[in-house]
Amino acid sequence: MEKRPKKAKLSKTWKWILTIVLILLGIGVAYAGYWIYGVYNATSDFNKPKEESRFSQFEDTGLEAPKWEGTERVNILLLGGDARGMDEGQIPRSDSMLVLSIDPTTKRAHLLSILRDTYVKIEGHGRGRINTAITLGKPELAMKTVSDLLGLDIQYYVYTDFEGFKSLIDTMGGITIDVEKDMRYTDNADGNRYDIDLKKGVQLLDGDKALQYVRFRHDAMSDFTRTERQRKFLQALAKELQSGWNILKMKEILESVSPYIETNLTTTDMLKLGQLGVDSHVAGTAQVPPMDMIADEEVGGASVLGVRNEDQLKAYVDTLLESDDTLASPEASPGADGAEASSSAGATVTPSP
């Protein structure tokens, strides 16, 4: 029997390989199109029309956020609302307030958590706790108030509530966190739906457990340690969101939180920020005001947190945003008297606890 030439066999093998590669490539292109379309649709639902907004009862505040051109620092106010026990149409105070600040040039991101009892000037409403600004003039007034306090242009806000946070974490498959101590608190509101019961140790937290972790404040340092835990958790969350698997799942993640999110970000802005977020790293986190700039005050019989010197606070924030905690600290060098002295070059600001 005549044998088929070896060259012919090789030619047929390569045809099969080429066919398989083309099929896989076609599937990849189709999935990419489906992914892009899904992400676009999901993000477009974040920017709610007035009739769907939880802030629809407010008239236009007349406050316009600074426009982000894409090359300068961008600052996003993250607002977490606690609407438990609220009547329909009522706006809850900001249970959590954080600023995410990213420098597109250095790719450094900083996370600042704002103490919610900080007593500040709220434009058009005198002075009050900073977490009440949203109830007086929508997120736009909260942005203006935080901007005035920190000396930063706040271009965007993102608002969500407890359920939106839980949905995000569940869709991602949970976040692994080292819970630093046992945490327990009985919350009789909403039929004990938001009780806290966590054990110390490294563990994978689902949405419900993650919410317990970032809400717990029933210890000696109260809101101070709570904001520290929130920054720790959001760092872990950011790292997970940057992973290849969660980028592939982004359509599903965005769709899961869409009903709970409100923002002034356009879809184009979100896509630009998404790419910037993937390329950036968390260079530092801090509480503002830091402990040494807080003045305990009493207003109407209630304790509030005053700011000792607002100009010093703005300078502190500026210095912090130029720092990078991921860089190696300068090595100590012998001083003139033989004692070790640290070089001040490249030194970073150490956030207050």
Side-chain angles (χ1 to χ4, degrees):
M1 180 181 292
E2 185 180 350
K3 292 185 178 180
R4 181 174 296 184
K6 188 175 182 181
K7 186 176 179 180
K9 287 184 178 180
L10 288 173
S11 178
K12 187 174 182 180
T13 300
W14 279 110
K15 284 181 180 179
W16 274 107
I17 292 174
L18 181 60
T19 301
I20 292 169
V21 168
L22 289 174
I23 291 172
L24 292 175
L25 190 59
I27 292 172
V29 170
Y31 177 78
Y34 168 75
W35 184 88
I36 292 170
Y37 179 77
V39 167
Y40 184 88
N41 278 347
T43 53
S44 65
D45 289 340
F46 286 5
N47 202 318
K48 303 286 192 296
K50 184 173 181 179
E51 60 271 16
E52 295 180 16
S53 171
R54 70 193 73 204
F55 308 107
S56 60
Q57 71 271 43
F58 285 104
E59 296 299 325
D60 185 6
T61 61
L63 297 173
E64 291 189 9
K67 185 175 176 57
W68 182 51
E69 301 295 342
T71 56
E72 74 279 21
R73 179 178 293 279
V74 59
N75 300 295
I76 307 161
L77 178 61
L78 309 177
L79 298 160
D82 178 3
R84 294 173 302 157
M86 305 289 290
D87 294 331
E88 186 174 351
Q90 285 187 300
I91 305 300
R93 297 179 181 184
S94 309
D95 188 62
S96 301
M97 303 181 73
L98 301 102
V99 173
L100 174 62
S101 182
I102 309 176
D103 185 334
T105 303
T106 63
K107 302 297 189 294
R108 293 175 180 173
H110 288 79
L111 192 62
L112 311 177
S113 50
I114 302 167
L115 294 172
R116 61 184 185 174
D117 288 334
T118 305
Y119 200 66
V120 297
K121 179 182 177 182
I122 303 175
E123 186 172 297
H125 298 275
R127 296 179 67 82
R129 286 184 172 86
I130 198 165
N131 69 335
T132 64
I134 193 173
T135 69
L136 300 171
K138 309 193 298 183
E140 285 80 2
L141 185 56
M143 293 167 65
K144 179 68 168 62
T145 305
V146 172
S147 177
D148 290 344
L149 176 67
L150 304 184
L152 296 175
D153 287 336
I154 308 291
Q155 295 98 339
Y156 302 112
Y157 76 88
V158 178
Y159 177 95
T160 190
D161 57 18
F162 286 180
E163 296 306 309
F165 178 84
K166 289 166 60 177
S167 181
L168 169 64
I169 305 305
D170 283 337
T171 307
M172 291 176 62
I175 299 291
T176 299
I177 283 287
D178 185 0
V179 179
E180 56 270 21
K181 62 181 179 181
D182 289 350
M183 300 177 186
R184 184 166 295 173
Y185 177 71
T186 300
D187 190 340
N188 293 321
D190 293 302
N192 299 96
R193 183 179 179 183
Y194 295 108
D195 284 356
I196 296 173
D197 187 8
L198 292 175
K199 298 295 183 182
K200 178 180 178 180
V202 178
Q203 53 200 284
L204 181 67
L205 302 182
D206 62 11
D208 183 61
K209 294 293 185 182
L211 181 63
Q212 294 179 35
Y213 181 74
V214 298
R215 286 187 59 233
F216 184 76
R217 62 185 180 92
H218 305 280
D219 50 19
M221 293 298 287
S222 187
D223 206 36
F224 300 102
T225 48
R226 187 180 79 132
T227 58
E228 186 176 354
R229 278 190 290 272
Q230 289 173 351
R231 297 193 303 274
K232 172 183 171 182
F233 186 87
L234 287 177
Q235 279 185 277
L237 175 61
K239 186 175 180 179
E240 284 297 316
L241 283 171
Q242 288 176 318
S243 71
W245 176 242
N246 279 314
I247 290 174
L248 289 175
K249 287 179 61 181
M250 193 55 64
K251 174 183 175 292
E252 181 184 353
I253 290 171
L254 294 174
E255 287 175 344
S256 73
V257 300
S258 180
Y260 311 103
I261 296 283
E262 284 203 42
T263 182
N264 64 335
L265 281 157
T266 65
T267 300
T268 301
D269 289 332
M270 282 184 250
L271 295 176
K272 285 195 298 184
L273 283 170
Q275 182 58 55
L276 179 59
V278 170
D279 295 338
S280 300
H281 68 280
V282 178
T285 72
Q287 162 200 300
V288 287
M291 296 294 286
D292 59 357
M293 295 187 186
I294 292 173
D296 289 326
E297 298 178 7
E298 190 171 291
V299 176
S303 296
V304 296
L305 303 175
V307 179
R308 293 184 184 277
N309 187 306
E310 292 192 3
D311 289 335
Q312 287 182 6
L313 176 59
K314 291 181 176 69
Y316 167 79
V317 171
D318 286 342
T319 304
L320 177 71
L321 296 182
E322 294 302 317
S323 69
D324 190 340
D325 293 348
T326 65
L327 299 178
S329 300
E331 293 183 3
S333 57
D337 58 357
E340 288 191 342
S342 295
S343 168
S344 60
T348 62
V349 174
T350 302
S352 298

